[in-house]
């Protein structure tokens, strides 16, 4: 291949970045085979650093970036040298290709970076990446997993600067058996969201949803990390609260507003179903007054139209037996109004009054509301803490949603370790770290 032609080919394929120059090319089935050699010769012995004598050349085949949509292989003609120092332990050695690839690797460094970019940024599946490179699924998955460990767990600053954590459960498997637990504990860094520097970052996932799962993870972190954490946002699971209190005594636990309102909505629904069964003797049907307002009861009052408000009032006033539903609905709306208060001090006071009002002493017939009052009063410290710190588990729920999307792309996972690594690639905010590989 002539020198001008080689220069054009080097520019198009960007082999100059690798310190290689193209000497020839061919097409083999679906593969584009590019023959190349190092631009500069480096005969230094890796042991004694003395220049050696050229002995021969060997070919090393490496997977590189696809060219115009076709898988590419680089056939690098690597010089071999004989060490001139008779006292040196190394007799024959190859010229180093550290700029091109890692030792004993079958892909170029930029190809490895490309794999993680496609998985983490473009959200491609492993099978799509493997097809683009002409490699096997297991090869790409293993390579992506090892690189993810390198840029996440082996990164020295992986846990630096974290002050706010989010914890939630996630169901990763919907099949029984196979040895692994169906749920994992998701641990998320909320610091970028609070500081306004970026989105939340998935830190890790731990098998199981229990106090022990979170406590073990926190216990394995160093004391500097534990002392920096100021706030931990969580749902209503008591195990997470207990683990936080024991492992992070200086951190403040916050119960997420969504879970508080969701718990109240569940109690309101149970109350409506109980009164429906009592007054009608059957489950809700079309034409039943309480069944007809089931969605309106769970909608914030300010979002209802005048027609819906009239229908809601008519259904609740139709029978005195509906009074428990009306009272429970009032408390449900009071909880929402407290969270919606623009003045956090006023919202905190309104929330405390609401919790105290339903704590004890409720008349008969309000069993669901009484259960709600006892549950929320036990967690009042975490509920009221939201108004002081303003941190919720919303970003954690968003990551949960993205993980569900990941499982859909992959059509499910059977290996928990693979799922955790793929989740970190998918939602671990690895873009900046990938670019420095």
């Amino acid at each position: 291949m002539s020198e001008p032609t080689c220069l054009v080919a080097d520019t198009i394929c960007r082999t100059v970045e690798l310190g290689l120059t193209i000497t020839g090319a061919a097409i083999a089935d679906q593969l584009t085979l590019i023959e190349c050699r190092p631009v500069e010769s480096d005969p230094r012995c890796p042991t004694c650093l003395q220049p050696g004598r050229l002995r021969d050349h060997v070919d090393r085949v490496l997977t590189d970036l696809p060219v115009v949509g076709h898988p590419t292989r680089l056939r690098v003609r690597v010089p071999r040298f004989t060490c001139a120092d008779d006292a040196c332990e190394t007799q024959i050695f190859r010229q180093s290709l550290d700029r091109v690839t890692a030792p004993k690797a079958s892909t170029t460094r930029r190809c490895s970076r490309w794999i993680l970019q496609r998985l983490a940024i473009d959200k491609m599946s492993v099978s799509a990446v493997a097809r683009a490179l002409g490699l096997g699924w297991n090869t790409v998955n293993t390579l992506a997993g090892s690189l993810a460990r390198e840029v996440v767990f082996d990164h020295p600053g992986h846990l630096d600067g974290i002050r706010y954590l989010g914890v939630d459960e996630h169901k990763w498997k919907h099949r029984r058996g196979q040895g692994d637990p169906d749920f994992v504990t998701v641990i998320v860094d909320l610091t970028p969201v609070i500081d306004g520097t970026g989105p939340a970052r998935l830190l890790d996932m731990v098998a199981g949803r229990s106090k022990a799962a979170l406590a073990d993870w926190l216990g394995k972190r160093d004391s500097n990390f534990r002392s920096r954490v100021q706030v931990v946002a969580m749902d209503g699971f008591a195990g997470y609260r207990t683990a936080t209190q024991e492992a992070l005594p200086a951190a403040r636990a916050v119960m997420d507003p969504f879970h508080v309102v969701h718990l109240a909505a569940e109690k309101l629904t149970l109350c409506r179903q109980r009164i429906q069964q009592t007054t009608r003797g059957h489950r809700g049907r079309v034409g039943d007054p309480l069944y007809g307002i089931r969605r309106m009861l769970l909608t914030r009052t300010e979002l209802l139209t005048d027609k819906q408000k009239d229908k809601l009032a008519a259904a609740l006033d139709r029978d005195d037996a509906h009074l428990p539903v009306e009272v429970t609905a009032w408390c449900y709306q009071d909880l929402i109004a407290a969270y919606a208060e623009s003045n956090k001090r006023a919202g905190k006071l309104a929330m405390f009054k609401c919790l105290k009002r339903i704590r004890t002493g409720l008349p008969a017939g309000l069993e669901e509301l009484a259960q709600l009052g006892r549950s929320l009063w036990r967690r009042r410290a975490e509920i009221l803490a939201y108004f002081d710190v303003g941190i919720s588990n919303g970003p954690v729920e968003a990551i949960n949603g993205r993980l569900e999307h990941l499982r859909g792309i992959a059509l499910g996972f059977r290996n928990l370790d693979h799922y955790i690594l793929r989740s970190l690639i998918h939602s671990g905010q690895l873009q900046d770290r990938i670019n420095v590989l």
Side-chain angles (χ1 to χ4, degrees), residues 235-252:
D235 58 14
F237 178 47
Y240 292 155
R241 178 192 60 175
T242 306
T244 301
Q245 290 175 342
E246 294 179 358
L248 305 174
R252 193 168 187 183

Side-chain angles (χ1 to χ4, degrees), residues 207-410:
R209 51 165 180 175
S210 62
K211 168 192 169 183
L214 180 58
D216 289 346
W217 188 88
L218 292 173
K220 293 177 181 177
R221 311 283 81 80
D222 58 53
S223 58
N224 290 331
F225 169 80
R226 295 197 297 269
S227 63
R228 282 196 307 267
V229 177
Q230 301 173 10
V231 178
V232 181
M234 62 188 69
D235 58 14
F237 178 47
Y240 292 155
R241 178 192 60 175
T242 306
T244 301
Q245 290 175 342
E246 294 179 358
L248 305 174
R252 193 168 187 183
V254 177
M255 187 170 175
D256 183 58
F258 167 80
H259 292 93
V260 175
V261 174
H262 181 67
L263 181 59
E266 287 183 341
K267 297 303 181 183
L268 176 56
T269 300
L270 290 174
C271 179
R272 178 188 61 78
Q273 292 173 342
R274 176 174 61 84
I275 299 301
Q276 164 74 33
Q277 190 70 33
T278 301
T279 56
R280 295 285 174 164
H282 55 73
R283 297 178 60 183
R285 300 174 184 172
V286 175
D288 292 343
L290 292 181
Y291 183 76
I293 62 171
R294 64 192 184 282
R295 291 189 178 90
M296 300 177 201
L297 284 171
L298 301 178
T299 303
R300 186 176 171 184
T301 303
E302 289 78 3
L303 301 179
L304 295 174
T305 64
D306 292 338
K307 183 177 180 181
Q308 289 175 323
K309 291 178 182 178
D310 293 340
K311 182 177 180 180
L312 185 62
L316 293 176
D317 295 340
R318 182 172 180 175
D319 192 333
D320 291 342
H322 296 172
L323 184 60
V325 179
E326 186 173 5
V327 173
T328 306
W330 285 343
C331 294
Y332 172 75
Q333 294 294 339
D334 287 345
L335 289 174
I336 296 177
Y339 280 122
E341 180 64 54
S342 58
N343 187 319
K344 295 302 180 184
R345 182 179 178 85
K348 183 177 182 180
L349 180 60
M351 177 62 72
F352 178 76
K353 289 181 178 179
C354 181
L355 297 182
K356 189 175 182 180
R357 188 164 56 246
I358 62 177
R359 173 190 176 188
T360 57
L362 295 177
L366 297 173
E367 289 83 1
E368 295 81 10
L369 186 58
Q371 293 174 358
L372 177 65
R374 292 192 295 270
S375 298
L376 297 185
W377 185 256
R378 285 194 298 267
R379 304 296 299 272
R380 64 188 181 278
E382 297 97 87
I383 295 173
L384 297 175
Y386 167 78
F387 297 94
D388 296 330
V389 299
I391 296 176
S392 74
N393 238 18
V396 184
E397 297 295 342
I399 286 180
N400 264 339
R402 289 199 290 271
L403 297 184
E404 293 290 344
H405 179 253
L406 169 64
R407 289 196 303 108
I409 293 175

